[in-house]
């Protein structure tokens, strides 16, 4: 049974609730690029899938960067002279500018004001701001909150710590028949924001859960890492694992009701780009395809010129294009069970293409083989033919050792699973052979280098 | 004089009537993939052009297939208990499912019904059905006929034979200066159906008649063969002739009033694909171009991956897309003299491109040569230039030994004959030389291998 | 400071008046492909920029052509029997067909008529006609003038000379760091016609004036030459200089109010074609791009197959497409200071691209370098990024040693100057190195062959 057929046997409704439920559990945690929020998040992922946790000490050089100090926060507030917490971290962790240095002071509204961030156009929403690499502090609040602040002396407290510690990476490695890897990467550094990126994180976790224990062609590596510095740190410490990456996806913003958007890898026409384009075109409504650009999520690092990995970014609505982006309105109501489940289905369909894409050779290349005598043709001539028979003819015609099943699916405009099923049937009937190079590539490459994956994992 | 100029000297009206008249003669014959219907058809073609007939015995293996038993039919009917022939092969040969095994029985309407085929949506039309490779029998009738059949005991008779015999191929070979071949293929296996494919058959016959005896660059091979099994049989027996095919066309559905459709070869950008696209774009209204697909007519076999020949399919309306397709409504009224004549003109224009497409070298490649002193330029400057002069400038500019006349016609958007005439004029004036490789290719390749074509023909 | 930044510091209004003023001075002169009109024109250009004048004797063979006899004219008229000059060369030099042989005769209107040219559809305008290569004579006049000519005996006088002399070429060579050349070519053979081509001539002169004395990467060669025979003569005598041409533009029709049109070089995708497309798309409204064709201005010669130089043609309105073309209505009112100045700006912007287009190598190719610690990134995260920062990310991402700045500008859709500034900034910050091959190509190639340019110039 194909991966996708198997996947589609589960109840999408139940799955959607499971995904949303997981997001609900994760939502309250105050995450950042380092600290206990990430650790608690990874622990909750580890409840679902095997996870390897790596701590990289502050100050460690990673390419042109250094791992920053670790940030943690217990409490934060702005208290008016009458003792009321007019801004309270305990109510919403977005209220503190992420990575704010500790502060305990009393000051006038005038002194406080340069540290306050709001969105005048969306007076009910709290913005999300960060200051990772410049020591600073600040509060984010709704514009309505800001407007009612009186001229007063305020007690300002940010009970945070910023000191030596470590950056935490989570990694789930699922070994396949070959050491060639598919990497699925998502950032786990955002606090109470649902679409960006609890959606990506829950979909990735459940994709790993679905793939775990299955007989797989590729090895799959799921990275649950802080944005930018996490990807840089992982890449700096795993150069040879990076060389084994054949296909990759960054997952984010997968829970809202927008149509799918796929941002292509820097290569623009890699197999992953074509596989995603094919799946989205056949399985979803009005998908859109974006050319690579060097700003965005961690595809920025995977697609830096030294790596130039075939890694694209799968989204529904695009970051920055929806008003809720990076505000308190990107909450649990903004993401939906049905959309999360559909995103997971799309991911499974993409893996399904990657897993079974290969090239065949037609063993009767001169004229068509007689399908009828093998029960593979209709018996009464004169009318039109069905999709399945059409797929068989396409596979036979293009299986010249050059065209892959994905090539055939693209050229015939027939969905990949129908093409793959046709190839399986023709193969069973002795009409096709797998191109030997592809067959070799799919055979366990571990036989030759049995300790490779283990070695790589130990190194982390 | 160019092939096309010569062709266009005949009276299109007379030609159209001739083509339609030939179709009228052929229409009543009950053809199938084997049997006397094909033989009678080929005999009528042989009245017009030299034809070599080949009989291939039943059972002969041809690639993955075997030549089937030969089918012939004398009579068939369904007779009601009052002696009336309610369905009568003598009235229309479509009434019998083609290749029906012999039957002589009496049965109730209930027993008979599974053997009856009609088209409820087109209650006046008789469908065309076949059962070549599964022994079966059946009757096709109009839905109105079906509706009035009473509950009765019917005498059912199909006076056919299905036994050892042979499959018949017709072939007209016109030797040219070179052994390189242009193949024109049409199926001759359909009974009383006019557009599919008496139209292709009559156009091919008249094209051969026009080309016969002319000084030609290419050798032309016209194949009048049963669909699928005929093409497979010919290809299986003529592997080395197939290797000499440089360009090819399958001709079908050329008599209706639809715009031209051209289905490209599997290669998609072969010279034949470009020549047809050029001719149709310049000579006809609203032509449409279809990508190759592995379902259709005998291009399926020519374009199988082992051969991958540059063979496309020229049609007016596309099979399956017009309601009359494979019904009794595809009759002599559905095809028209003017459309048949226009189709023949298009074929001549395509051959004209193939015959004179070559590459030249501009002998004055540095700056323009002074056309004025050779009388090839206008004398008073300052206005715009005419098409013919523009064609001269294009030919001079692109004749760098790389661009063919068809390349130049495409890039300049000037019709091929005007480009060719410009090249001829410049050549006569000593301004161009034929690229030596092309010149060699056009010289009689028979000098080197004088018996090749004869040998090949003898083998058939 | 970049070439373009420097250029844009001048006052466009003043510049426009200067260009138009120059055109006004040149307008009255009766130019042709040879003779004193060209010499006087070149002398006026020489007042502004250094110019080398070359005289090539009549009869000299230049490729397939010979330099024609030299033509000069003092006076011409048609006088009616009552002594009135009904057509008078002194009023407008278009009245005489250019290159008319000397005539002095008396004749009837009937005899005269075949020598008279007018435009019935534009009865006020005088057409421009030439007869360079066929000895002939004629008068051009407005259709209104023609209509009132009475049946009379006319005194006809063309006081011209057509004899041994020479063809005159003007050339301004600005040496750069390398011997690689950019050629700017314009025809100087049209009499009182403003857009075609005093516009090209004045823009070219001022572009040379702007570039002169500047530190340049390329050497620039400005050709002020008669159309067709001038380009052929120059190319015939400067084969090795032609080999050094890396980019080139023919300038014409640059003063009218139409949108810019660029006719691509024969290569179609040369760096000059891409540079012009980029500049026009970013700097002007509704530019249009025309494929190469072998009819037009001197790009015909530069793009002949033996040379196939990367030379395109920059215009506003296209010759032949505006009714004033080649008539007396193409006068000083038809060209405008603002349009001339904009055309010059566009030329400067094109040179700016050519001068600074190069490839860099990102010295931190693995992941992004940390721009923040170098003050090259914003400090507060969470919002969108500005154009300049985006340009930096693009340059870093694509600087893999393969992509040029123009490649990056095209792919990012960011204007070249912003990309170039980003590259400069990153280069200053030690994040990029120039690809060594490009660096070498930009270093003075004169060190290796110091006398090359001088030698070539001496040969002229």
């Amino acid at each position: 049974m194909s991966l996708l057929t198997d996947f589609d046997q589960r109840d999408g409704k139940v799955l959607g609730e499971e995904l949303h439920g997981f997001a609900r559990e994760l939502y309250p945690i105050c995450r950042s690029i380092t600290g206990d929020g990430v650790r608690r998040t990874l622990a909750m992922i580890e409840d679902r899938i095997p996870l390897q946790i790596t701590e990289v000490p502050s100050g460690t050089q990673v390419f042109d960067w250094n791992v920053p100090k670790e940030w943690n926060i217990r409490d934060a507030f702005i208290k008016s002279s009458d003792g009321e917490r007019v801004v309270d971290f305990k109510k919403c962790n977005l209220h503190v500018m992420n990575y704010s240095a500790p502060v305990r002071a009393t000051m006038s509204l005038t002194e406080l004001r340069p540290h306050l961030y709001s969105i005048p156009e969306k007076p009910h929403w709290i913005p999300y701001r960060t200051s990772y690499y410049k020591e600073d502090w600040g509060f984010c609040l709704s514009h309505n909150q800001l407007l009612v602040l009186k001229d007063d002396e305020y007690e300002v407290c940010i009970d945070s710590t910023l000191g030596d510690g470590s950056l935490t990476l989570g990694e789930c490695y699922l070994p396949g028949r070959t050491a060639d890897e598919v990497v699925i990467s998502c950032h786990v550094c955002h606090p109470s924001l649902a679409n960006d990126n609890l959606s990506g994180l829950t979909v990735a976790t459940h994709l790993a859960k679905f793939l775990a224990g299955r007989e797989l062609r590729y090895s799959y590596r799921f990275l649950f890492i802080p944005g930018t510095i996490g990807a840089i740190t992982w890449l700096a410490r795993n150069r040879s694992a990076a060389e084994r990456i054949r296909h990759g996806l960054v997952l984010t913003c997968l829970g809202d009701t927008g149509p799918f958007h796929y941002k292509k890898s820097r290569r623009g026409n890699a197999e992953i780009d074509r596989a995603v384009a094919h799946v989205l075109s056949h399985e979803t409504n009005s998908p859109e395809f974006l050319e690579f650009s060097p700003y965005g999520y961690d595809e920025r690092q995977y697609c830096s010129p030294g790596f130039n990995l075939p890694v694209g970014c799968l989204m529904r609505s695009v970051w920055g294009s929806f008003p809720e982006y990076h505000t308190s309105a990107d909450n649990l109501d903004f993401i939906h069970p049905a959309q999360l489940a559909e995103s997971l289905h799309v991911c499974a369909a993409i893996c399904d293409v990657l897993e079974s894409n290969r090239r065949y050779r037609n063993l009767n290349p001169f004229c068509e083989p007689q399908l009828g005598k093998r029960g593979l043709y209709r018996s009464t001539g004169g009318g039109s033919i069905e999709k399945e028979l059409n797929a068989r003819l396409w596979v036979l015609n293009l299986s010249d050792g050059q065209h892959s099943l994905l090539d055939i699916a693209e050229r015939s405009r027939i969905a990949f699973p129908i093409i793959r099923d046709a190839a399986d049937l023709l193969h069973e009937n002795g009409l096709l052979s797998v191109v030997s190079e592809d067959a070799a590539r799919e055979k366990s490459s571990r036989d030759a280098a049995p300790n490779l994956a283990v070695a790589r994992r130990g190194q982390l």
Side-chain angles (χ1 to χ4, degrees), chain A:
Chain A
M1 183 170 22
S2 87
L3 213 59
L4 187 60
T5 312
D6 183 358
F7 180 87
D8 285 341
Q9 286 178 343
R10 54 227 58 205
D11 181 329
K13 206 145 181 170
V14 171
L15 202 56
E17 291 301 340
E18 229 176 290
L19 286 157
H20 201 269
F22 187 22
R24 272 198 307 275
E25 288 180 49
L26 292 162
Y27 185 72
I29 302 172
C30 181
R31 279 164 292 269
S32 183
I33 55 172
T34 61
D36 292 332
V38 173
R39 289 191 192 96
R40 283 170 59 200
T41 301
L42 295 180
M44 288 161 72
I45 295 173
E46 206 172 4
D47 289 347
R48 285 155 176 89
I49 55 173
L51 207 66
Q52 182 166 352
I53 310 290
T54 307
E55 298 285 350
V56 183
S58 303
T60 305
Q61 187 174 347
V62 285
F63 292 125
D64 191 47
W65 303 61
N66 291 86
V67 172
K69 290 177 180 171
E70 180 174 329
W71 184 70
N72 283 292
I73 183 162
R74 266 182 303 261
D75 194 7
F77 57 82
I78 300 172
K79 201 182 275 182
S80 61
S81 57
D82 58 9
E84 191 200 351
R85 286 187 168 211
V86 293
V87 176
D88 187 357
F89 171 77
K90 300 236 152 116
K91 288 196 183 146
C92 175
N93 57 37
L94 295 179
H95 275 315
V96 170
M97 174 189 271
N98 207 292
Y99 249 68
S100 279
V103 176
R104 190 168 285 273
T106 304
M107 59 183 76
S108 68
L109 181 58
T110 311
E111 289 168 295
L112 181 54
R113 218 177 259 283
H115 296 277
L116 302 181
Y117 300 88
S118 71
I119 315 169
E121 310 79 43
K122 297 287 181 185
H124 293 284
W125 298 356
I126 307 163
Y128 164 57
R129 289 287 177 275
T130 67
S131 188
Y132 301 137
Y133 299 102
K134 188 185 138 206
E135 208 166 298
D136 197 0
W137 63 270
F139 286 88
C140 301
L141 64 172
S142 75
H143 202 60
N144 287 342
Q145 278 179 295
L146 182 64
L147 290 176
V148 300
L149 287 187
K150 296 165 306 215
D151 219 350
D152 197 357
E153 281 295 290
Y154 288 98
E155 186 191 338
V156 172
C157 166
I158 298 183
D159 183 10
S160 66
T161 58
L162 196 53
D164 278 348
S166 59
L167 175 139
T168 315
L169 304 171
E171 198 168 348
C172 169
Y173 181 79
L174 305 175
R177 285 198 303 285
T178 72
D180 291 343
E181 293 194 10
V182 176
V183 71
I184 305 289
S185 178
C186 55
H187 58 281
V188 295
C189 50
H190 284 35
S192 294
L193 295 167
N195 204 32
D196 179 18
N197 188 24
L198 296 182
S199 69
L201 195 159
T202 54
V203 168
T205 301
H206 277 258
L207 182 63
K209 196 175 157 190
F210 167 69
L211 293 175
R214 241 161 255 277
E215 163 74 7
L216 296 164
R217 167 186 181 175
Y218 286 105
S219 297
Y220 286 76
R221 191 180 296 272
F222 289 81
L223 297 178
F224 299 93
I225 54 180
T228 304
I229 188 65
I232 292 169
T233 301
W234 187 86
L235 283 164
R237 296 166 55 89
N238 295 277
R239 298 279 295 265
S240 60
E243 276 169 27
R244 294 198 298 277
I245 294 174
R246 295 291 161 269
H247 320 286
L249 282 180
V250 170
L251 299 186
T252 184
C253 297
L254 288 170
D256 67 279
T257 55
F260 282 93
H261 286 76
Y262 176 68
K263 175 180 162 182
K264 298 179 200 173
S265 77
R266 183 179 184 272
R267 300 183 186 182
N269 199 26
E271 188 173 340
I272 185 68
D273 299 320
R274 296 170 49 210
V276 177
H278 182 82
V279 166
L280 292 183
S281 300
H282 281 268
E283 303 262 338
T284 77
N285 291 323
S286 315
E288 300 215 18
F289 300 95
L290 313 171
E291 293 302 321
F292 175 76
S293 65
Y295 190 60
Y297 291 103
D298 284 334
E299 69 276 8
R300 291 164 71 164
Q301 312 308 330
Y302 301 118
C303 297
S304 57
F307 288 110
N308 194 25
L309 294 171
V311 177
C313 179
L314 183 67
M315 301 160 273
R316 299 189 75 108
S317 289
V318 177
W319 58 269
S321 74
F322 51 95
E324 295 83 357
Y325 173 73
H326 277 192
T327 75
S328 55
D330 179 4
N331 57 29
L332 291 166
D333 294 337
F334 188 63
I335 63 171
H336 305 275
Q339 275 66 37
L340 289 165
E342 191 194 13
S343 296
L344 182 53
H345 163 84
V346 160
C347 290
I350 293 166
C351 293
D352 185 51
V353 172
L354 299 176
E355 285 287 309
S356 46
N357 189 28
R358 64 175 62 84
R359 293 170 299 168
Y360 289 92
R361 202 177 293 284
N362 178 342
L363 297 172
N364 293 64
F366 296 102
C367 297
E368 293 173 10
Q370 192 177 6
L371 295 179
K373 69 186 181 192
R374 297 172 178 90
L376 303 177
Y377 210 78
R378 54 169 190 189
S379 53
T380 306
S384 66
I385 59 168
E386 68 275 18
K387 206 165 49 173
E388 284 73 18
L389 174 49
N390 198 23
R392 277 170 227 155
L393 296 178
W394 271 109
V395 171
L396 286 168
N397 188 273
L398 290 181
S399 286
D400 51 9
Q402 303 298 318
H403 293 87
S404 71
L405 294 185
L406 182 54
D407 292 331
I408 299 173
E410 286 179 343
R411 186 155 169 190
S412 68
R413 297 168 191 268
I414 298 172
F416 186 87
I418 297 172
I419 291 293
R420 189 251 325 279
D421 290 352
D424 286 350
L425 188 68
L426 294 167
H427 189 236
E428 284 162 24
N429 277 271
L431 291 167
L432 298 179
S433 66
V434 180
V435 167
S436 55
E437 193 187 331
D438 288 15
R441 218 178 357 234
E442 288 172 45
K443 256 192 69 184
S444 175
S445 59
R446 280 167 214 303
D447 301 350
N451 297 314
L452 191 67
V454 177
R456 299 287 336 143
R457 296 175 71 193
Q459 183 192 315
L460 237 175

